[in-house]
Amino acid sequence: MPSPRPLLARLRALLILPAFALLCGCDMVVLNPAGDVARQQGDLVIVSTLLMLLIIVPVMALVVLFAWRYRESNKEATYAPDWDHSTSLELVIWSAPLLIIICLGAITWVSTHLLDPYRPLSRTAPGKPIAANVKPLEVQVVALDWKWLFIYPEQGIATVNEMAAPVGRPIRFRISASSVMNSFYIPALAGQIYAMPGMETPLNAVFDKTGAFQGFSANYSGHGFSSMRFKAHSTDQTGFDAWVAEAKKAGAMLDRAEYLKLERPSEKEPVRRFAGVEAGLFDMVTNLCVEPGKMCMHQMMALDAQGGMGKAGLHNVRQLAYDKFGGRGTHAHGGKSFVGEICADKQGIAVRAAPKPGNPRPLTGAGMKQPSAEPSPTAPSVASETRPRPLS
């Protein structure tokens, strides 16, 4: 008859087996992504972990070895109470971690530049460089309370809590927010990047396999944060065209008035589609001037760069209050709650040209000029609307 102790040990072992079975069904999307950028980031995690294990594993093994070798019952172990120094041992103890830190530092420095989200992509997959005539798909993203708005300026549509992109085509995200800071994250595509009001953050990425992937906010932003999720669809070009055609059937128009309704706080918002988008809406969101009659941030900066408006501007400066009396979108903005616009551009804000593909040669910079020739500073012009670009 088996003793109770071995029987209990066997039962504990059997209880662990279901846990292993559950782990076998997990999809570690960070290490099995659907985008070239995310795949390089996953490889960086693996390489960094293996390099650190070169120290961790021997140290853990030596702990067990020393505990066994110098146990009290082992009378054959060397006993040297006056020993205090060994040059050879010091070299091993300090050189091994130093070499690993140098390797980690070099890999981190190189990867930080090559995987910079601001850097235009140079390839869609290993050995597949991007042709110079390939135009990235621009997707404008706005983090709202508590939902995601996606604007496709090239296709003239917009969606809520759903996005799509053709596989193999570079994607150029332009990301902002309406009220509080958020974090845009599609683990299968690329790393997370922050979305902040009054600022624009770019992200360059590409899908290299089809499927439906999860996207969400990786930064706590209030009561509805846990429901701030969306589907990211990666399809072939035919499937993407069909998705765009389906959105155009919605018939709704996303203009300033509709956006002001949309930005009101709401939770678990269903997927919505808009067949049309008012020109320049994303730049109005970024410059905090969606409300009619409100001065845009870039206009205010251009005026300041010219020395301001002088005494004439005293009557146009009023209290600026976005979230002082409630969440953004929850109260009406009267004419005295912001700085009024004076010389607005009726044609809207000029659309920026898409950046050129990145240089495939690593560490030579993405179109960066040599610092030898320093351009002479010139003051921006209000008429031409040359202005500093708000970035995070």
Side-chain angles (χ1 to χ4, degrees):
M1 180 177 181
S3 60
R5 190 176 299 274
L7 183 60
L8 290 175
R10 292 174 184 174
L11 290 175
R12 292 194 190 99
L14 290 175
L15 291 175
I16 297 174
L17 291 177
F20 283 106
L22 291 174
L23 289 174
C24 292
C26 292
D27 181 16
M28 301 180 67
V29 65
V30 174
L31 301 180
N32 184 31
D36 184 61
V37 174
R39 184 168 292 104
Q40 293 181 69
Q41 292 172 338
D43 293 342
L44 178 61
V45 172
I46 293 175
V47 171
S48 302
T49 303
L50 292 177
L51 282 174
M52 290 183 284
L53 286 176
L54 291 178
I55 286 292
I56 296 173
V57 172
V59 168
M60 299 303 293
L62 287 173
V63 168
V64 177
L65 176 63
F66 275 55
W68 173 257
R69 180 175 178 81
Y70 297 101
R71 66 191 186 279
E72 184 181 2
S73 60
N74 185 11
K75 304 302 181 182
E76 298 180 358
T78 303
Y79 178 66
D82 297 328
W83 179 88
D84 61 358
H85 179 74
S86 171
T87 302
S88 301
L89 190 59
E90 290 283 348
L91 287 174
V92 173
I93 290 175
W94 289 105
S95 62
L98 181 60
L99 291 174
I100 290 177
I101 291 173
I102 291 174
C103 292
L104 282 173
I107 292 173
T108 302
W109 187 87
V110 172
S111 301
T112 299
H113 287 273
L114 293 181
L115 300 177
D116 184 356
Y118 285 54
R119 186 177 189 263
L121 299 182
S122 59
R123 70 181 200 183
T124 58
K128 294 183 179 180
I130 298 177
N133 59 346
V134 174
K135 182 181 179 182
L137 173 67
E138 181 173 318
V139 182
Q140 300 166 350
V141 184
V142 182
L144 304 171
D145 292 336
W146 287 274
K147 48 196 170 287
W148 292 96
L149 172 64
F150 300 93
I151 301 174
Y152 290 76
E154 181 182 342
Q155 289 73 25
I157 63 170
T159 60
V160 175
N161 287 341
E162 183 185 56
M163 68 153 290
V167 66
R169 182 177 177 182
I171 310 170
R172 177 180 172 237
F173 291 101
R174 295 173 60 191
I175 305 169
S176 188
S178 67
S179 58
V180 300
M181 184 174 74
N182 247 295
S183 178
F184 180 75
Y185 189 26
I186 306 176
L189 181 63
Q192 69 89 22
I193 192 164
Y194 288 110
M196 290 171 279
M199 297 184 180
E200 177 189 325
T201 310
L203 173 64
N204 292 276
V206 62
F207 281 113
D208 59 10
K209 65 172 68 172
T210 59
F213 307 99
Q214 186 75 25
F216 55 90
S217 171
N219 189 80
Y220 180 75
S221 58
H223 187 268
F225 156 76
S226 59
S227 302
M228 203 169 170
R229 297 175 177 269
F230 63 92
K231 282 292 183 182
H233 300 279
S234 173
T235 67
D236 55 16
Q237 186 62 47
T238 303
F240 177 71
D241 294 339
W243 181 81
V244 173
E246 187 68 24
K248 288 185 177 294
K249 294 179 182 178
M253 176 69 179
L254 183 62
D255 53 10
R256 287 187 176 193
E258 188 65 27
Y259 173 84
L260 292 175
K261 296 177 183 177
L262 183 65
E263 75 169 359
R264 295 172 183 171
S266 62
E267 299 180 34
K268 299 180 180 180
E269 190 79 17
V271 173
R272 297 172 60 184
R273 300 181 177 93
F274 298 91
V277 182
E278 182 175 341
L281 179 61
F282 178 77
D283 285 305
M284 296 176 198
V285 173
T286 305
N287 285 278
L288 305 176
C289 57
V290 179
E291 295 85 359
K294 183 176 182 181
M295 179 180 289
C296 291
M297 191 168 60
H298 77 275
Q299 296 169 339
M300 193 180 301
M301 289 189 292
L303 286 172
D304 291 341
Q306 296 293 324
M309 297 172 57
K311 293 182 179 180
L314 295 177
H315 303 288
N316 197 51
V317 178
R318 303 179 180 92
Q319 185 181 25
L320 193 66
Y322 292 114
D323 302 312
K324 186 174 181 180
F325 305 107
R328 179 132 171 94
T330 58
H331 60 282
H333 290 274
K336 296 184 179 180
S337 63
F338 47 75
V339 180
E341 63 180 354
I342 50 172
C343 51
D345 182 6
K346 300 302 181 182
Q347 297 179 352
I349 302 171
V351 179
R352 301 185 185 96
K356 297 180 180 180
N359 194 332
R361 294 178 297 174
L363 303 184
T364 57
M368 297 176 64
K369 297 181 179 179
Q370 296 294 331
S372 56
E374 297 182 359
S376 58
T378 57
S381 170
V382 180
S384 62
E385 285 205 355
T386 302
R387 63 190 185 279
R389 180 183 177 187
L391 292 175
S392 59

